[in-house]
Amino acid sequence: MLCGCDTGVQVEDIPPERLLAISSFVSPQDSLIAVYVYKGQKVGSVIKSDSARIRDATVKVSNGSKHVNLSYNQSSKRYEAENLFRNSEPGTILSLEVIAPEQLTAYATAVIPPKPNDVSVKGTRVGKDYLFSVNWENPGSYKFYNVWAEVEGEIRSSIGIFPLITSIDIPDNSFYFPSDKQASGRNSESGIVNSAYDATSERVVLTVTVANVDDTFFKFYKSFREYQTWLANTSDNLPNFKESVPIYSNIRNGTGYFAAYNSNKKTVSIK
């Protein structure tokens, strides 16, 4: 993937061994800013993800009036810093600068999208499952969004301990992939917590997050999903006569993404 991701803006002629691959999502709700930085190798080289990581780069994020320097964390294997841009207003432009050894530099910008309003979660028991609906207000015509759910609870049995599983199906999208179908006004999605009432834990708690995502977030995952579909059509050993889908990137002098989202969440107790 390090050598196969073409920019979605223009095709840059960068030798693979000088290609920086960067990934980062930023949000006003996050306590940390995190950035992953990798470096490509010559075509034909064999490279593992650990050896591709760059540990001695200078990584900065700025909003124009203040900036933060990120440090490499050996445990998480990424650059991290306290998020000084928490509670940033929608429309705030954040800039990323990465300077790596061998005079390798890369840049990107992300725009904080509007925040979803008035998230509510209502559910009911159906057999042993918990079926729920998520409703929220999109005050404008902003169309890019994502919804995901997390559940706290477990089932203990003689063969082990199993966490509860929950899912939300966004129309026309795979699980966890964003959508560009958000309507102006009231929106709704549905989901399920499987076997919620079989849980042996004292508490079962559901947290649902609704996030408006910027267009980079959507375009990257849309192209990545199309690339996965193309790859699956090869059946691992048969030639695919369709042209490969270039994966979208907004990184100048590199590949990857620097994207933003703005989220709201609701937590409900099932038991």
Side-chain angles (χ1 to χ4, degrees), residues 68-119:
V68 57
N69 293 305
L70 284 71
S71 301
Y72 188 77
N73 186 316
Q74 292 287 352
S75 298
S76 61
K77 302 184 185 302
R78 63 187 186 185
Y79 291 85
E80 297 177 349
E82 179 185 356
N83 186 2
L84 300 183
F85 313 110
R86 297 190 71 178
N87 303 315
S88 293
E89 292 295 322
T92 299
I93 299 175
L94 297 178
S95 300
L96 170 70
E97 178 184 45
V98 177
I99 303 175
E102 303 178 40
Q103 297 182 325
L104 300 179
T105 59
Y107 309 89
T109 59
V111 181
I112 302 294
K115 185 176 181 177
N117 293 337
D118 302 324
V119 176

Side-chain angles (χ1 to χ4, degrees), residues 228-246:
Q228 286 182 315
T229 300
W230 173 86
L231 197 63
N233 287 337
T234 66
S235 300
D236 294 329
N237 53 20
L238 297 176
N240 190 335
F241 297 106
K242 293 183 178 180
E243 185 177 352
S244 174
V245 178

Side-chain angles (χ1 to χ4, degrees), residues 7-132:
T7 175
V9 179
Q10 61 182 7
V11 176
E12 297 181 276
D13 186 15
I14 304 174
E17 64 272 18
R18 295 190 60 80
L19 180 67
L20 291 179
I22 296 167
S23 61
S24 176
F25 292 130
V26 292
S27 166
Q29 289 78 41
D30 292 340
S31 58
L32 284 178
I33 298 176
V35 179
Y36 294 86
V37 183
Y38 297 86
K39 179 176 176 291
Q41 295 293 323
K42 292 182 179 180
V43 174
S45 302
V46 177
I47 185 169
K48 297 181 179 180
S49 60
D50 192 61
S51 58
R53 291 188 179 93
I54 296 179
R55 298 169 172 80
D56 52 355
T58 299
V59 180
K60 298 180 182 179
V61 176
S62 169
N63 68 352
S65 60
K66 58 183 176 183
H67 73 271
V68 57
N69 293 305
L70 284 71
S71 301
Y72 188 77
N73 186 316
Q74 292 287 352
S75 298
S76 61
K77 302 184 185 302
R78 63 187 186 185
Y79 291 85
E80 297 177 349
E82 179 185 356
N83 186 2
L84 300 183
F85 313 110
R86 297 190 71 178
N87 303 315
S88 293
E89 292 295 322
T92 299
I93 299 175
L94 297 178
S95 300
L96 170 70
E97 178 184 45
V98 177
I99 303 175
E102 303 178 40
Q103 297 182 325
L104 300 179
T105 59
Y107 309 89
T109 59
V111 181
I112 302 294
K115 185 176 181 177
N117 293 337
D118 302 324
V119 176
S120 66
V121 177
K122 295 182 179 180
T124 184
R125 178 174 181 170
V126 178
K128 296 179 180 180
D129 302 327
Y130 180 77
L131 274 60
F132 62 91

Side-chain angles (χ1 to χ4, degrees), residues 15 41 50 72 92 111 124 145 151 161 174 197 204 215 268:
Q41 295 293 323
D50 192 61
Y72 188 77
T92 299
V111 181
T124 184
Y145 77 105
V151 61
I161 303 174
S174 302
Y197 295 96
V204 177
D215 60 345
V268 296

